[in-house]
Amino acid sequence: MPRPSPRVPTATACALTALLLTACSGTAGVQGTASSAGVHDPYFPKAGNGGYDVTHYDLTLAYTPTTHHLTATTTITARATAALSAFDLDLKGMKVDSLTVEGKKASWTRTGQELKVRPPTTLPKGETFRTTVRYSGTPETLTDPDGSEEGWLRTADGALALGEPTGAMAWFPSDNHPSDKATYAITITVPKGLQAVSNGELSSETTTGDGRTTTTWRTAHPMATYLATVVIGHYDITRTTTGNGLPVYTAVDPHEAAASRKVLAQLPEIMEWEEYNFGPYPFASTGAIVDRRGDAGYALETQNRPFFPGAPDTATLVHELAHQWYGDSVTPKTWRDMWLNEGFATYAEWLWSEDHDGDTAQQTFDALYKGDKGDSDDIWAFPPARPTSAAHISDSPVYERGAMVLHKIRRTVGDARFYDIVQGWAAAHRYGNANTADFTAYVERMAPGRDFSGIWKTWLYGNGKPPRP
């Protein structure tokens, strides 16, 4: 940021589970263990699930904005990491119409956001299996602990899906935690006259006899669920390339076209600058989505194609594009590691300013420390690597003080080694996950003989305002 009924085995069995059971079918003889519901994230303990690793999501969606009705099918390809008699998916709201595992009917129960699936036979450890969920209804708008909205957001002419941190479960069943990344194919059918844009690359677009449009988007590089997006509405579409031939796809609400034109024209220049500083761009295309101001309360680094509510300024575009390296390609293992996303993207803003005749990074650092910039006092509320709760993972210490940690590293090692570190970090964990301990260990390996203990203790993990630097 800067989101046909299964067969009923017996009446008694269903009655005993009436409070939880959405549908049930026979699972006699199933052995193995049930996976855990949630991966015990320190801030979102129910998010994600144990027992399997998702490799691919195939989503087919049909949405009618006038009725707010979504009809969908999601097929999840995963590998069992234990012998599974049952496993969980995250899905909030919506009606499950049918569910199969490896093409055979499976039973399921629902409690809160948990969709517990019981396959007809045990899934052996190491087996790759496919789960297909057909569901429908009105997708929910969810409220985060910090009061912001995510999930499925209605707009004036369509809808918008945003997932950070847990909103993806409002529109598709998943292993909804950043630690489990997968590739995607997302197919969306919308009424005549509307368009649908998602992540990755557009692979097909067809129009039916009644004028409905179906588009398919494919994301070949691993993506966390919170970075998946769909926008539906009226858009001005522009297809260009950067200087090195990278495809650029932008979708802009016509109401924002004039205001966005100048800043979006900078996108190729920003991409060239970020590749020079952060290393090769990790994905197959780039771009932006600009919806109407007020459609959401924040910009978000949705993969390949960041989302903006209204025309962004240059700093915000720099920030969200920097996330493609730090957050999208290198993704945090838990939500406690959010500063590895936001500290890097915020520091990218400082570096851009420094390289384009604005304040230097040192001047920005000093102004924040002295309290001369905006909400400077809020920076010291908690250390960037230890937000106090889920409601604060997007607060100022995670962003600005996280950037200050990076600046302290830069001052310690010098520019040449610093850029080796930030580029090497992006390369070493490309398409993977990492946490704060991984980062501090990496920095120490890259700069042997340097003492970072004071930075870690005081700036990264320390409470309160550090002594004057």
Side-chain angles (χ1 to χ4, degrees):
M1 291 184 188
R3 199 200 172 312
S5 301
R7 181 176 60 85
V8 178
T10 67
T12 301
C14 286
L16 289 174
T17 56
L19 292 176
L20 297 178
L21 195 58
T22 301
C24 55
S25 63
T27 56
V30 172
Q31 298 179 351
T33 61
S35 70
S36 62
V39 294
H40 309 295
D41 185 275
Y43 300 120
F44 299 91
K46 293 182 180 180
N49 303 284
Y52 61 92
D53 175 53
V54 178
T55 57
H56 184 72
Y57 291 97
D58 195 323
L59 280 65
T60 302
L61 314 172
Y63 185 68
T64 305
T66 54
T67 60
H68 314 300
H69 187 78
L70 176 68
T71 302
T73 300
T74 293
T75 296
I76 303 166
T77 304
R79 181 181 61 85
T81 57
L84 295 176
S85 61
F87 59 91
D88 281 53
L89 297 169
D90 297 301
L91 181 64
K92 184 74 167 62
M94 307 293 288
K95 175 182 177 292
V96 176
D97 299 310
S98 69
L99 196 154
T100 62
V101 177
E102 286 295 278
K104 298 178 180 179
K105 290 182 179 179
S107 66
W108 71 90
T109 60
R110 300 191 68 179
T111 306
Q113 71 185 52
E114 299 299 327
L115 171 61
K116 183 173 287 294
V117 181
R118 297 190 180 277
T121 58
T122 299
L123 300 170
K125 181 179 179 179
E127 178 175 304
T128 296
F129 64 98
R130 288 176 176 80
T131 303
T132 298
V133 185
R134 292 178 173 82
Y135 54 104
S136 58
T138 301
E140 295 184 14
T141 298
L142 309 180
T143 301
D144 291 340
D146 67 1
S148 59
E149 292 185 333
E150 58 166 335
W152 194 268
L153 311 179
R154 299 177 187 178
T155 63
D157 56 354
L160 158 67
L162 296 176
E164 190 178 59
T166 61
M169 63 184 175
W171 58 287
F172 68 99
S174 65
D175 188 16
N176 193 25
H177 191 264
S179 60
D180 193 0
K181 300 164 70 171
T183 58
Y184 284 72
I186 301 178
T187 299
I188 315 114
T189 299
V190 295
K192 182 179 180 178
L194 297 182
Q195 297 150 296
V197 179
S198 187
N199 310 88
E201 289 70 58
L202 178 64
S203 65
S204 68
E205 185 171 10
T206 60
T207 301
T208 61
D210 60 0
R212 293 169 68 85
T213 300
T214 299
T215 54
T216 298
W217 298 82
R218 298 188 184 278
T219 304
H221 297 104
M223 179 168 70
T225 52
Y226 80 92
L227 298 170
T229 190
V230 167
V231 296
I232 296 167
H234 298 284
Y235 297 98
D236 292 340
I237 304 298
T238 302
R239 297 176 177 87
T240 58
T241 60
T242 63
N244 64 2
L246 181 71
V248 180
Y249 186 105
T250 61
V252 181
D253 186 288
H255 292 80
E256 300 292 335
S260 299
R261 190 170 295 114
K262 185 175 180 180
V263 67
L264 291 183
Q266 294 181 277
L267 196 151
E269 177 190 0
I270 293 170
M271 288 296 300
E272 180 180 357
W273 177 86
E274 292 193 342
E275 284 198 277
Y276 178 80
N277 286 281
F278 307 143
Y281 180 66
F283 304 122
S285 67
T286 187
I289 298 168
V290 182
D291 235 319
R292 297 188 198 184
R293 194 166 301 278
D295 282 348
Y298 49 87
L300 188 63
E301 61 270 23
T302 43
Q303 192 157 306
N304 300 88
R305 199 158 291 111
F307 167 82
F308 303 94
D313 58 21
T314 300
T316 305
L317 185 57
V318 168
H319 181 110
E320 302 303 339
L321 289 173
H323 272 309
Q324 305 305 303
W325 284 261
Y326 308 107
D328 293 16
S329 178
V330 184
T331 304
K333 287 181 179 177
T334 78
W335 288 109
R336 177 176 284 157
D337 305 303
M338 183 78 152
W339 83 275
L340 289 171
N341 293 14
E342 302 302 347
F344 270 94
T346 300
Y347 200 61
E349 295 182 54
W350 298 11
L351 294 174
W352 174 270
S353 173
E354 181 173 275
D355 287 351
H356 293 81
D357 300 321
D359 287 347
T360 66
Q362 185 64 53
Q363 288 172 323
T364 304
F365 180 102
D366 291 341
L368 286 166
Y369 187 85
K370 294 174 184 176
D372 295 339
K373 288 179 69 72
D375 56 357
S376 296
D377 289 344
D378 295 337
I379 293 174
W380 318 117
F382 56 83
R386 289 177 178 159
T388 52
S389 72
H392 299 291
I393 62 170
S394 294
D395 283 5
S396 181
V398 173
Y399 287 67
E400 282 79 17
R401 190 168 166 184
M404 295 173 92
V405 170
L406 296 176
H407 189 68
K408 293 291 290 183
I409 296 170
R410 180 184 176 192
R411 290 292 303 274
T412 300
V413 302
D415 279 9
R417 184 54 57 90
F418 175 75
Y419 284 104
D420 286 344
I421 289 172
V422 297
Q423 291 182 18
W425 174 250
H429 294 278
R430 191 177 177 95
Y431 309 131
N433 296 84
N435 62 20
T436 300
D438 295 326
F439 178 72
T440 56
Y442 182 81
V443 171
E444 290 171 0
R445 287 197 304 273
M446 289 290 289
R450 302 281 187 173
D451 183 9
F452 296 96
S453 59
I455 297 175
W456 308 151
K457 181 179 179 180
T458 305
W459 288 89
L460 186 56
Y461 289 108
N463 291 311
K465 187 174 182 178
R468 181 170 295 278

